[in-house]
Amino acid sequence: MSESSIVLVLFGSFLALLIIGAPVMVSLGIAALASFLFLDENPIKFVQIAFNSVGSFPLMALPAFILAGALMEASGISKRLVHLAESFAGPVTGGISAAAILACMFFGAISGSGPATTAAVGMLMIPAMVRRGYDKGYASAVTASSGGLGIVIPPSIPMVIFGISALGMTVPLEAIAEHGEFQSISIPKLFIAGFLPGVVMSVGLMTLNYIQCRRYGYKGTDEGWSTSQIRKAIRSGVWSILAPLVILGGIYSGFFTPTESAIVAIFYTLFIGVFVHRELKLKDLVHSLETTTWLSGRVLLILFTATAFGRILVENQIPTIVANSMLSLTDNLYLIWLLIIAFLLFVGMFMETLAAIMILTPVLLPVAYTLGIDPVHFGIVMVCSLSIGFSTPPLGENLFVA
């Protein structure tokens, strides 16, 4: 049976279902099942893939980080981080919007989610910017763009998903013969590698924000910096500042794994919310659990269907065909990087980030191996490129949240 037939069945049914408005999860599942039946495979294999895809230990970090982010918003930690960032803005041109970017960095180091970061910071910072004379559109755009930092600054839910998607893949023997052994992929390595790109993106956003604020005349406060206000914000927010330090410090020092760090984050937040800030009520806890259940269930269903979809791709050597097609266009590594990034930016405009990672990792990672690209490097580029999709229409989840 030719590869072109299976590609037609797999991608044809997937795209047809997307066009008629079926959810991504349904489109992936039906396309994968149709391909199984077309290949005369036993459908029970579909169920086995489902069980294996959601049964990995690193995947436990996913609902735990979602819950930690929801609890931090409910317990007042995110609010204090925002106030701390705002107190440092002072009289600087565009200071309060720069504070929004800084707040997204801090909250991103806790929640690991782009829309969650945008929602938590935006609820406080967008009204504050509007009160200072900022245009509502600009205030929302800055917050939506900065919200994308939530998936680049570790810990990051998409990095966890990429790590899980990539862990089950074997390196092509031809790639090892040509380029030697590749380093293994692990979620701690991805977290460590994501820190510097996250900072670089933050500095880039702050620089552009300063230029735009000078252009539009958005100035800081007239009274200058208030030392007493900064001291008060630090005193109030010291436990909030410690949250990302405890989480990231534990991961980077090797004291606990990313999965364990998510559990530490939950207990830390519960303790601070109940005994220190005393803002976390029973109804907030129930709401946080409901949010976590809804989001986790949605992601796990996509993970299952995308894993089955990816398995068909790999077994029918479709990634090899994609790699050969790219190499037939050019063998220049920089041009191929440009093609991959342009493709990811395009996909990010139309597809949810987690679904895109789960679908494209089995296709593009073997291409990266063939070209001798480090898999951790590739994972970071993929997450950074898709993070831009959070604020690019027509999907632009962060734009809708903002």
Side-chain angles (χ1 to χ4, degrees), residues 309-329:
F309 191 93
R311 181 72 64 86
I312 294 167
L313 289 174
V314 172
E315 286 179 356
N316 290 276
Q317 298 186 320
I318 293 168
T320 308
I321 298 167
V322 174
N324 291 336
S325 302
M326 280 193 172
L327 291 170
S328 67
L329 291 172

Side-chain angles (χ1 to χ4, degrees), residues 19 49 76 82-83 103 132 143 209 222 246 250 268 275 281 288 292 303 341 350 362 370 377 400:
I19 288 166
I49 292 170
V82 168
H83 286 157
R132 294 272 184 95
T143 311
N209 170 67
D222 295 327
V246 167
Y268 179 87
F275 297 108
K281 308 299 180 194
S288 298
T292 304
L303 177 64
I341 292 169
F350 299 96
T370 304
H377 177 196
F400 288 111

Side-chain angles (χ1 to χ4, degrees), residues 65-66 68-70 72-73 78-79 81-82 99-126 140 142-158 202 205 295 390 397-399 401-402:
F65 276 130
I66 293 172
M72 284 178 183
E73 189 178 340
S78 58
K79 180 175 70 180
L81 286 173
V82 168
I101 297 168
L102 198 60
C104 285
M105 274 183 68
F106 276 114
F107 193 77
I110 300 167
S111 74
S113 163
T117 303
T118 306
V121 176
M123 280 192 299
L124 298 163
M125 294 305 287
I126 292 174
S140 302
V142 166
T143 311
S145 303
S146 308
L149 297 170
I151 72 166
V152 180
I153 302 273
S156 159
I157 292 169
S202 304
L205 280 168
L295 283 174
F390 277 119
E397 290 173 83
N398 285 5
L399 290 177
V401 172

Side-chain angles (χ1 to χ4, degrees), residues 4 6 12-13 37 73 118 121 154 208 216 244 261 279 315 359 364:
S4 57
I6 188 62
S13 53
L37 296 173
E73 189 178 340
T118 306
V121 176
L208 187 59
Y216 295 133
S261 77
E279 292 180 20
E315 286 179 356
I359 295 167
L364 296 177

Side-chain angles (χ1 to χ4, degrees), residues 341-374:
I341 292 169
F343 176 65
L344 290 170
L345 291 173
F346 177 75
V347 167
M349 292 168 65
F350 299 96
M351 191 177 288
E352 187 184 25
T353 303
L354 297 180
I357 289 171
M358 289 182 274
I359 295 167
L360 296 176
T361 299
V363 178
L364 296 177
L365 188 57
V367 176
Y369 281 130
T370 304
L371 297 166
I373 295 169
D374 180 86

Side-chain angles (χ1 to χ4, degrees), residues 273-350:
V274 174
F275 297 108
V276 179
H277 294 163
R278 298 181 182 179
E279 292 180 20
L280 189 60
K281 308 299 180 194
L282 184 60
K283 66 174 184 178
D284 298 320
L285 182 59
V286 171
H287 178 68
S288 298
L289 289 168
E290 285 175 352
T291 304
T292 304
T293 306
W294 183 79
L295 283 174
S296 300
R298 181 178 158 206
V299 171
L300 289 174
L301 283 169
I302 294 174
L303 177 64
F304 149 51
T305 52
T307 303
F309 191 93
R311 181 72 64 86
I312 294 167
L313 289 174
V314 172
E315 286 179 356
N316 290 276
Q317 298 186 320
I318 293 168
T320 308
I321 298 167
V322 174
N324 291 336
S325 302
M326 280 193 172
L327 291 170
S328 67
L329 291 172
T330 176
D331 58 357
N332 186 304
L333 183 61
Y334 298 104
L335 284 176
I336 292 172
W337 261 126
L338 193 63
L339 286 171
I340 291 171
I341 292 169
F343 176 65
L344 290 170
L345 291 173
F346 177 75
V347 167
M349 292 168 65
F350 299 96

Side-chain angles (χ1 to χ4, degrees), residues 11-54:
F11 285 99
S13 53
F14 175 62
L15 292 172
L17 286 160
L18 282 181
I19 288 166
I20 63 173
V24 171
M25 173 197 71
V26 174
S27 305
L28 285 169
I30 292 176
L33 188 57
S35 302
F36 268 99
L37 296 173
F38 181 75
L39 291 165
D40 235 3
E41 296 264 12
N42 189 339
I44 198 69
K45 188 177 176 182
F46 196 70
V47 181
Q48 291 168 340
I49 292 170
F51 180 78
N52 292 332
S53 66
V54 298

